[in-house]
Amino acid sequence: MIKISKLTDYAVVVLTQLSRDHGVHTVAHLAESSGIPAPTVAKLLKPLTAAGLVASHRGTNGGYALNREPERISVAAIITALEGPIAVTECVSDADSLCGVESLCPMRGNWEKINRAVRAALEDVTLADMAAPSPWPLPPATAQATARTETRTGESRG
Amino acid sequence: MIKISKLTDYAVVVLTQLSRDHGVHTVAHLAESSGIPAPTVAKLLKPLTAAGLVASHRGTNGGYALNREPERISVAAIITALEGPIAVTECVSDADSLCGVESLCPMRGNWEKINRAVRAALEDVTLADMAAPSPWPLPPATAQATARTETRTGESRG
DNA sequence: ATAATACCGTACTAAATTAGTACTGTTTAG
DNA sequence: CTAAACAGTACTAATTTAGTACGGTATTAT
């Protein structure tokens, strides 16, 4: 369904918490206040640390803290940290993996065009945006949305 | 990895074939010329037919044909036909599925913003674009690509 | 030093999704 | 009436993703 993994979803939640309180937070604390199992929180913080989005502090009174202003952390950066380069198709994501279907390959340039557009959309939203209160439902902005969009509106519960 | 399913990938391949030769093609024929297993081709053509993207003709000399000009079939329409409404997170895709993590929900409006941007990007590319010969590598357009992009360039094989 | 705290890293298990296969039914042309 | 070709369902297998467990290392306080 062209969606991100649950782990990435959780990562945004955890990072949002860190952005609200700039101090150092332990995994246990973050897990408790978010409702996400602690081992899972620890798991997602690892690649986030490796990517330099958060900083870790060991020992007593240690924990994790944001390593950069929320305004300077894009959703694209978060996704990239956890899932690797953003690519809608496997074709372009790694040079080693062949397509399997040869006739697919001639259009990898077109897929890359799509990838860039998606990437740009994701670069444009920062953690600060995500932490900010969100108006819901969203005001209709560009109206290029499909006809299907209106099928489900009204019963927003999720 | 925020990618579409293989079935959708195949669908684009099959539709590209149909767009090149406007006649009626059997599943067997499409399978042979694409290299995709016949049952799989049959499987993906079903929802495509339901969505009105292709038309099916039963009986002897039957088969499938494009139901619309390639210029009027967007990649978004193909993905939607096979995978349902385009949404990066589950949260907004269906009203019935709760998030599980409550703290996630306050930012569904922000996620929807992202969903719209992705959707727009996918609406913008048509089947005709995909069937067209693609320059590769693509000329750098907006340069908002992440630093990671350059890590893998050079050995394009996929 | 010693002990407690909290991250680090790897391996493993289980669940969910996705891909692929098989089979039976229905429609159309000759 | 027979053969061609789609329609629909059910099932199996493979892959991916989520979640758990455990032993190790660094830092701080006593």
Side-chain angles (χ1 to χ4, degrees):
Chain A
M1 221 190 272
I2 195 172
K3 62 171 196 271
I4 61 174
S5 78
K6 207 185 271 188
L7 207 64
T8 307
D9 209 337
Y10 289 166
V12 176
V13 176
V14 171
L15 286 172
T16 302
Q17 289 195 319
L18 286 175
S19 77
R20 275 199 259 264
D21 182 354
H22 281 71
V24 176
H25 297 261
T26 67
V27 168
H29 172 226
L30 290 169
E32 192 186 5
S33 55
S34 66
I36 304 166
T40 303
V41 174
K43 194 180 198 173
L44 65 87
L45 279 169
K46 211 168 306 180
L48 252 28
T49 306
L53 268 46
V54 300
S56 68
H57 301 278
R58 313 228 277 198
T60 311
N61 298 327
Y64 289 95
L66 268 196
N67 200 21
R68 211 190 295 171
E69 298 83 60
E71 294 80 20
R72 303 198 52 223
I73 298 179
S74 71
V75 173
I78 300 171
I79 296 176
T80 301
L82 269 82
E83 313 190 20
I86 294 167
V88 173
T89 51
E90 271 185 88
C91 216
V92 291
S93 63
D94 193 352
D96 279 1
S97 65
L98 267 302
C99 281
V101 182
E102 206 137 312
S103 19
L104 200 156
C105 289
M107 42 191 176
R108 63 200 184 290
N110 294 318
W111 275 120
E112 181 56 15
K113 205 168 102 186
I114 293 176
N115 285 333
R116 284 189 188 186
V118 171
R119 202 144 44 210
L122 263 23
E123 296 270 357
D124 206 42
V125 183
T126 71
L127 185 59
D129 293 327
M130 296 303 280
S134 56
W136 187 260
L138 226 54
T142 35
Q144 78 261 313
T146 18
R148 300 207 53 152
T149 309
E150 67 197 30
T151 337
R152 272 295 184 180
T153 326
E155 31 174 354
S156 47
R157 218 179 110 209
Chain B
M1 220 190 271
I2 197 174
K3 62 171 196 269
I4 60 175
S5 78
K6 208 186 268 188
L7 207 64
T8 307
D9 210 337
Y10 289 166
V12 176
V13 177
V14 170
L15 286 172
T16 302
Q17 288 195 319
L18 286 174
S19 77
R20 274 199 261 264
D21 182 355
H22 280 72
V24 175
H25 299 260
T26 68
V27 167
H29 173 227
L30 290 169
E32 192 185 6
S33 56
S34 67
I36 304 166
T40 302
V41 174
K43 194 180 197 172
L44 65 88
L45 279 169
K46 211 165 306 177
L48 252 29
T49 306
L53 268 47
V54 302
S56 69
H57 302 277
R58 311 228 281 196
T60 312
N61 298 328
Y64 289 92
L66 267 197
N67 202 21
R68 214 191 292 173
E69 298 82 61
E71 294 81 17
R72 303 198 49 225
I73 297 178
S74 71
V75 172
I78 300 171
I79 296 177
T80 301
L82 270 83
E83 313 190 21
I86 295 166
V88 172
T89 50
E90 274 185 87
C91 216
V92 290
S93 62
D94 193 352
D96 277 2
S97 65
L98 268 300
C99 281
V101 183
E102 205 137 313
S103 19
L104 199 158
C105 290
M107 45 194 176
R108 64 199 184 289
N110 294 316
W111 275 121
E112 181 56 15
K113 204 168 104 186
I114 294 177
N115 285 332
R116 284 189 188 184
V118 171
R119 202 145 44 209
L122 262 23
E123 295 270 359
D124 206 43
V125 183
T126 71
L127 186 58
D129 293 328
M130 295 303 282
S134 55
W136 187 259
L138 225 53
T142 35
Q144 77 261 313
T146 19
R148 299 206 53 150
T149 310
E150 66 197 30
T151 336
R152 273 296 185 181
T153 326
E155 31 173 356
S156 46
R157 224 177 106 205

